[in-house]
Amino acid sequence: MSKSSFGCALCAQDGGDLVWRSDKLRVVHVEEDGFPGYYRVIWNAHVAELSALSPEERAECMGAVVCVERSLMEHLKPAKVNLAALGNQVPHLHWHVIARFDWDTHFPNAIWGEPQRPRDHDREAAVGALLDVVNAQIRGYLAKGETPQEK
Amino acid sequence: MSKSSFGCALCAQDGGDLVWRSDKLRVVHVEEDGFPGYYRVIWNAHVAELSALSPEERAECMGAVVCVERSLMEHLKPAKVNLAALGNQVPHLHWHVIARFDWDTHFPNAIWGEPQRPRDHDREAAVGALLDVVNAQIRGYLAKGETPQEK
């Protein structure tokens, strides 16, 4: 069982569209305007910092982040994948795993920074059409329990 | 020996004030206005994504991130530590590890987002005065080779 904290949004809700859940963590897809390839890996227990995890838990958590990263790289061919655990607003350990494209509104800035250009709805839709495949790949990697590695 | 890439800023330079270096990675302190407790953990070899590392390398890399995070938490008592590997501008694996305070210019926004208030130079200086102790703690943890865990 997970520790949970009253009033914490990530204890009360999945935090996105559920793709995978295990005892320890879950992967969700996030609906965020302009960033169709946006996922979160959320630790189920209410801890704030990565250093609250044991080495084994940390390996499991970062392994899941890598499963999502590789699925994005393989199927969406982004310019870069961005990883971030901030938690200033919701101090419950969650990793943003975001496929970034050189045509997206903010590239090369962080998604929290200044926009650089208008949205490209056609390209966003083309990415969106691949998400079922990405989700299946994420589930496949996590079910296998072996973290994929870039060749 | 590390792979390196011509023209990459993090292959050519340390990328900050060197705190620790091993064969595989280095820790640097970053001079960034408004954020005195700002470090980077930089993988020495020129790889872009976390998934380019083997599981053992990933554990070493994230272990170093946790050593920095714990040192910041213990000595600076920040509201939160932010972790991010973006690499949109410099696609060479590096982790931003940033102590965030509720009085800093951007909190609770990401440091790449909208500022919320003016700088508090006195409090920044008070944090700056503790950096020698933080650096010593980082070196101590990394020399020991055991990742500290939050109690």
Side-chain angles (χ1 to χ4, degrees), chain A residues 92-147:
Chain A
H92 176 133
L93 181 61
H94 60 284
W95 284 95
H96 305 276
V97 185
I98 311 158
R100 300 298 310 277
F101 300 92
D102 60 9
W103 48 260
D104 77 34
T105 48
H106 286 58
F107 196 88
N109 283 354
I111 70 161
W112 303 281
E114 285 289 312
Q116 301 295 299
R117 62 190 69 79
R119 291 176 65 177
D120 185 330
H121 292 279
D122 290 345
R123 281 167 145 162
E124 288 180 24
V127 170
L130 294 168
L131 293 180
D132 283 348
V133 179
V134 172
N135 292 346
Q137 180 72 84
I138 291 170
R139 290 186 196 104
Y141 280 141
L142 284 163
K144 212 170 156 187
E146 261 175 49
T147 307

Side-chain angles (χ1 to χ4, degrees), chain B:
Chain B
M1 291 298 293
S2 296
K3 285 189 291 183
S4 71
S5 180
F6 186 73
C8 169
L10 291 179
C11 288
Q13 295 147 18
D14 285 338
D17 297 325
L18 194 67
V19 175
W20 168 268
R21 180 189 286 277
S22 70
D23 277 2
K24 293 285 191 181
L25 59 83
R26 59 193 185 268
V27 176
V28 302
H29 179 261
V30 179
E31 292 287 339
E32 181 88 10
D33 281 353
F35 302 101
Y38 191 152
Y39 288 78
R40 289 196 189 107
V41 174
I42 303 165
W43 196 250
N44 289 334
H46 186 77
V47 299
E49 306 289 350
L50 183 62
S51 58
L53 306 189
S54 70
E56 296 73 25
E57 290 173 329
R58 189 181 348 122
E60 186 172 345
C61 185
M62 298 314 299
V65 168
V66 166
C67 288
V68 177
E69 177 183 293
R70 283 305 303 158
S71 302
L72 295 174
M73 293 294 289
E74 287 164 17
H75 295 286
L76 304 184
K77 314 282 183 208
K80 192 70 189 66
V81 175
N82 289 175
L83 308 178
L86 307 180
N88 302 327
Q89 319 234 19
V90 181
H92 177 133
L93 181 60
H94 60 285
W95 283 96
H96 304 276
V97 185
I98 311 158
R100 300 298 309 279
F101 299 92
D102 59 9
W103 48 259
D104 76 34
T105 49
H106 286 59
F107 195 88
N109 283 354
I111 70 160
W112 303 281
E114 286 289 314
Q116 300 297 298
R117 62 190 67 82
R119 291 176 64 178
D120 184 329
H121 291 279
D122 289 345
R123 280 167 146 163
E124 288 180 23
V127 170
L130 294 168
L131 294 179
D132 283 348
V133 178
V134 173
N135 292 346
Q137 180 72 83
I138 292 170
R139 290 186 197 104
Y141 280 141
L142 284 162
K144 211 169 157 189
E146 262 174 50
T147 308
Q149 189 178 346
E150 190 183 330
K151 300 297 175 290

Side-chain angles (χ1 to χ4, degrees), chain A:
Chain A
M1 289 299 294
S2 297
K3 284 190 289 182
S4 71
S5 180
F6 186 73
C8 170
L10 291 179
C11 288
Q13 295 146 18
D14 285 338
D17 297 325
L18 194 66
V19 176
W20 168 268
R21 179 191 287 275
S22 69
D23 277 3
K24 293 285 192 183
L25 59 84
R26 59 193 186 265
V27 177
V28 302
H29 178 262
V30 179
E31 292 287 338
E32 180 88 10
D33 281 354
F35 303 101
Y38 191 152
Y39 289 77
R40 289 197 190 108
V41 174
I42 302 164
W43 196 251
N44 290 335
H46 186 77
V47 299
E49 306 288 349
L50 184 62
S51 57
L53 306 189
S54 70
E56 296 72 25
E57 290 173 327
R58 190 181 347 123
E60 186 173 344
C61 185
M62 299 314 299
V65 168
V66 165
C67 287
V68 177
E69 177 183 293
R70 284 305 302 158
S71 302
L72 295 174
M73 293 294 288
E74 287 164 18
H75 294 286
L76 304 184
K77 314 283 182 208
K80 191 71 190 65
V81 175
N82 289 176
L83 308 178
L86 307 180
N88 302 327
Q89 319 232 19
V90 181
H92 176 133
L93 181 61
H94 60 284
W95 284 95
H96 305 276
V97 185
I98 311 158
R100 300 298 310 277
F101 300 92
D102 60 9
W103 48 260
D104 77 34
T105 48
H106 286 58
F107 196 88
N109 283 354
I111 70 161
W112 303 281
E114 285 289 312
Q116 301 295 299
R117 62 190 69 79
R119 291 176 65 177
D120 185 330
H121 292 279
D122 290 345
R123 281 167 145 162
E124 288 180 24
V127 170
L130 294 168
L131 293 180
D132 283 348
V133 179
V134 172
N135 292 346
Q137 180 72 84
I138 291 170
R139 290 186 196 104
Y141 280 141
L142 284 163
K144 212 170 156 187
E146 261 175 49
T147 307
Q149 189 178 347
E150 190 181 331
K151 301 294 176 293

